[in-house]
Amino acid sequence: MTLTIDLPEDEITLLNAKASAAGLSAEQCAQQLLKQVLAAPQTRKPLSARIREMWADMPAEVRAKLPADGASQHDHYIYGVPKRAQ
């Protein structure tokens, strides 16, 4: 199968440099990189599980300082907009 991919010039330069360093053509290098990506396991934890893992390591005193209305008033805490009426 033949696949044609349009790349920006900066990515072509990077691919050529990586291929040259490995003693490969750009096509061979791209094929190897693609094989590595396709062979890598695609199991990714759900975002909620990753957040729970981060929270598990957070000390209780730090968690206690977080705002209780952080979810409902996230625009206020992230962007500084006035708090919404409850």
Side-chain angles (χ1 to χ4, degrees):
M1 175 179 155
T2 299
L3 177 65
T4 303
I5 302 173
D6 292 323
L7 297 173
E9 285 298 320
D10 59 330
E11 291 179 0
I12 292 171
T13 302
L14 289 171
L15 178 61
N16 285 328
K18 190 171 192 75
S20 178
L24 302 169
S25 70
E27 291 81 7
Q28 291 170 323
C29 184
Q31 189 176 33
Q32 282 186 0
L33 292 169
L34 186 57
K35 282 181 183 179
Q36 288 173 1
V37 169
L38 294 175
Q42 298 297 320
T43 56
R44 234 178 117 179
K45 293 181 185 176
L47 178 60
S48 58
R50 291 183 287 175
I51 291 172
R52 279 192 296 274
E53 288 175 1
M54 287 186 272
W55 273 71
D57 295 339
M58 187 182 302
E61 59 272 8
V62 172
R63 197 174 306 143
K65 292 179 184 176
L66 295 174
D69 60 352
S72 63
Q73 298 293 341
H74 66 277
D75 286 339
H76 169 72
Y77 293 108
I78 297 172
Y79 306 113
V81 299
K83 284 189 173 187
R84 289 183 275 135
Q86 294 287 337

